Amino acid sequence: VSSGWVGGAAVTNTEWFTCYNSSTTVFSGSANSTWESLVKTGDMVTLQWGYNGQTGGHIFTISSGAGTSAPSGGNTQKWRFLVIKDRKIKEGVQVWYKKAFDEWIGPRYLSSTPPPGVTREQYLKQHAAVQYLTDHFADAPVWIVACLAEETNNRGAGASIYPAVQNMVLACRAVGLGTTLTNRHMFFQKEVDQALGLPEGVHAYAILPIGYPMGKFGPVKRAALKDVVYADKWGQAYAG
């Protein structure tokens, strides 16, 4: 979900949730409704920031139920989920988030060819949403920062955290909230980890800003399956 937000006052508090497996049911309903969440969650919507007690309950359910129900390498469960409500902390992170946009992400968007299944007009709309997200990143009343307690920060480590992140994205969708997986902060990993107050050996792999959708969730725009699914040999189209 590419995101933009208006309104909403952040509340101050920062809490560590070391999450364990939970019996909480995050999804209910038919397999079709779950599939609908999968294929519609990635579409662009604009989010409006708001916060209330019910949302706070959802945040804990999302982190403790959905996040920790995901697999991790060797079932080591080294994930940690930092729930950020303190605006000062968010503003400290946003400085680096915006710097990454200004120096790399923004110029790349404007000079890149639209991805498969997306028109130039849609791509520019997406770029505008990314710009809005950048400018209003700290306005989200709640962030969930997905962290790993790992001494080494390597490319394989993501396999133990991103399944949990995707579970949380889908859980947000299931309860009517919108979010997006952001990891742009990793351009300035050291500075952001410090701004978040993370201890040595803990790294932030994703930040999920959470808000209410102003528009409707819709089907995602992607390349045709025939262009990305191969059979036995690279480039050989899968015939079914």
Side-chain angles (χ1 to χ4, degrees):
V1 180
S2 298
S3 316
W5 299 277
V6 294
V11 295
T12 58
N13 192 16
T14 304
E15 300 168 359
W16 271 102
F17 286 106
T18 303
C19 299
Y20 302 94
N21 284 329
S22 169
S23 59
T24 302
T25 300
V26 176
F27 292 104
S28 62
S30 67
N32 285 339
S33 65
T34 303
W35 174 252
E36 182 179 347
S37 292
L38 282 169
V39 299
K40 289 188 175 181
T41 295
D43 193 29
M44 285 179 56
V45 296
T46 300
L47 303 181
Q48 180 174 12
W49 289 133
Y51 185 80
N52 55 43
Q54 185 180 17
T55 305
H58 287 332
I59 296 301
F60 184 76
T61 299
I62 288 165
S63 58
S64 65
T68 61
S69 294
S72 60
N75 195 31
T76 53
Q77 302 174 54
K78 291 185 177 180
W79 45 48
R80 299 292 186 270
F81 303 106
L82 179 61
V83 180
I84 300 288
K85 303 175 187 177
D86 189 318
R87 185 175 180 90
K88 288 184 179 179
I89 296 175
K90 290 181 286 184
E91 288 176 347
V93 172
Q94 184 176 4
V95 169
W96 300 105
Y97 194 77
K98 188 176 188 308
K99 184 176 175 63
F101 179 86
D102 292 341
E103 295 184 4
W104 292 295
I105 305 300
R108 186 183 70 186
Y109 257 102
L110 291 177
S111 62
S112 296
T113 302
V118 178
T119 66
R120 183 66 184 174
E121 181 182 2
Q122 291 167 336
Y123 192 54
L124 291 176
K125 182 179 179 182
Q126 177 181 323
H127 173 72
V130 173
Q131 173 76 69
Y132 194 94
L133 168 62
T134 300
D135 294 338
H136 297 270
F137 198 42
D139 291 343
V142 182
W143 291 359
I144 296 179
V145 184
C147 306
L148 272 182
E150 294 277 3
E151 292 298 328
T152 57
N153 192 11
N154 61 74
R155 64 183 294 187
S160 289
I161 188 64
Y162 291 123
V165 171
Q166 178 65 359
N167 271 14
M168 291 190 289
V169 170
L170 293 174
C172 282
R173 175 67 178 88
V175 297
L177 295 168
T179 189
T180 182
L181 188 169
T182 67
N183 63 1
R184 188 198 310 166
H185 67 278
M186 295 179 74
F187 280 102
F188 298 100
Q189 180 82 66
K190 183 178 179 180
E191 292 85 354
V192 170
D193 285 351
Q194 186 175 38
L196 290 168
L198 302 183
E200 190 72 24
V202 176
H203 303 289
Y205 278 73
I207 300 174
L208 279 71
I210 298 174
Y212 293 106
M214 294 174 65
K216 296 180 179 180
F217 291 99
V220 298
K221 303 169 184 67
R222 299 291 187 266
L225 289 179
K226 64 180 179 62
D227 296 328
V228 297
V229 181
Y230 306 142
D232 298 322
K233 182 180 178 181
W234 187 266
Q236 181 170 284
Y238 181 76

